[in-house]
Amino acid sequence: MKLYYSRGACSLSVRITLQEIGIPYEQESVNLKTKKTESGVDYFTINPKGAVPALELANKEVLTENVAIQQYLADEYKATPLLPPVGNFKRYRVLEWLSYISSDLHKSFAPLFNPTISQEIKDQYFMPPLKQKFEWIDEHLRKNKFLMGDQFTLCDIYLFVVSRWLAAFDMDMTLLPNVSRFMTELKKRKAVADSLEEERLS
Ligand SMILES: N[C@@H](CCC(=O)N[C@@H](CS)C(=O)NCC(=O)O)C(=O)O
């Protein structure tokens, strides 16, 4: 199994999931600007969408999309604490969170990372709705240790990865005390700490 990733990007979710389950994997970094992998391969030949993550499986199939890869790994390796099996309604709660993080949180960061959009426009139009979404999550985490309550699941991994990006945008984390507590808690998990170290992230 080989993970195509970019340092600190959303592909970190797949790395943490691989580490949580204990699946051995190879890795190759991708330069998202040049779309070349570290060995010089044109990344579009691996993922025609040009985005990380991509996971090459033993049978050479390449699976893309965070939400699909995370589900695949949990199902394939029967990691039911991370994703309850079909038939258990809690599975759909985890998927509900994963969908929200992917479509509403993750993608809301895209304009903030875009250097062609002015700071003024970012502050006026893109930051306020993102802040509102995180305040809602913060309120949920006030009453819950993890997104699903006491059980750590796939959606916590993805939330951790996108919440890390807030630091790059001067978000006042004192306004999100429960997200901050959640982040501190997750950094103590071996899979998360090892993944951050592998990507040389603090
Ligand atoms: N829909 C994809 C999006 C992945 C994505 O946005 N990846 C970013 C890094 S966090 C990326 O590779 N951006 C570069 C690009 O799309 O050209 C998923 O959920 O996995």
Side-chain angles (χ1 to χ4, degrees), residues 4-196:
Y4 288 92
Y5 77 101
S6 181
R7 189 171 167 259
C10 56
S11 41
L12 181 59
S13 291
V14 175
R15 184 188 296 282
I16 297 173
T17 304
L18 288 161
Q19 294 266 2
E20 273 288 339
I21 302 175
I23 307 165
Y25 61 97
E26 294 167 36
Q27 53 185 304
E28 183 154 356
S29 68
V30 179
N31 182 326
L32 292 174
K33 289 201 177 85
T34 62
K35 304 289 180 188
K36 290 269 186 217
T37 73
E38 67 182 278
S39 66
V41 173
D42 174 1
Y43 186 57
F44 285 115
T45 63
I46 292 154
N47 179 6
K49 292 176 281 190
V52 290
L55 189 67
E56 187 186 276
L57 310 179
N59 64 5
K60 298 293 171 197
E61 287 258 7
V62 174
L63 190 62
T64 64
E65 302 296 318
N66 266 292
V67 172
I69 300 173
Q70 282 187 284
Q71 277 180 73
Y72 167 78
L73 291 172
D75 285 341
E76 188 68 12
Y77 291 85
K78 303 197 176 8
T80 50
L82 290 179
L83 179 66
V86 172
N88 182 336
F89 182 71
K90 285 190 178 159
R91 179 184 181 91
Y92 305 100
R93 289 286 180 216
V94 176
L95 299 182
E96 186 179 33
W97 276 115
L98 283 176
S99 303
Y100 180 73
I101 297 164
S102 175
S103 57
D104 286 68
L105 293 185
H106 181 173
K107 285 296 146 181
S108 296
F109 278 94
L112 299 177
F113 281 116
N114 186 334
T116 66
I117 300 177
S118 75
Q119 193 57 47
E120 196 186 348
I121 298 286
K122 287 177 187 173
D123 290 344
Q124 199 172 344
Y125 296 105
F126 295 114
M127 213 44 198
L130 185 63
K131 193 166 161 262
Q132 207 173 25
K133 286 169 188 166
F134 270 98
E135 282 167 354
W136 177 69
I137 298 227
D138 195 75
E139 179 55 22
H140 179 78
L141 288 175
R142 187 173 67 77
K143 292 168 260 153
N144 296 281
K145 183 175 180 194
F146 300 117
L147 289 173
M148 288 291 296
D150 287 337
Q151 181 61 46
F152 176 83
T153 66
L154 290 182
C155 48
D156 297 304
I157 296 173
Y158 200 3
L159 178 64
F160 174 82
V161 170
V162 300
S163 300
R164 272 193 76 255
W165 300 337
L166 290 172
F169 302 108
D170 288 339
M171 174 69 89
D172 181 357
M173 291 305 285
T174 61
L175 300 174
L176 300 174
N178 303 296
V179 174
S180 301
R181 188 261 310 145
F182 169 87
M183 297 299 282
T184 306
E185 184 83 34
L186 258 72
K187 280 183 204 158
K188 290 186 203 150
R189 292 185 80 86
K190 188 173 180 332
V192 175
D194 288 353
S195 299
L196 291 173

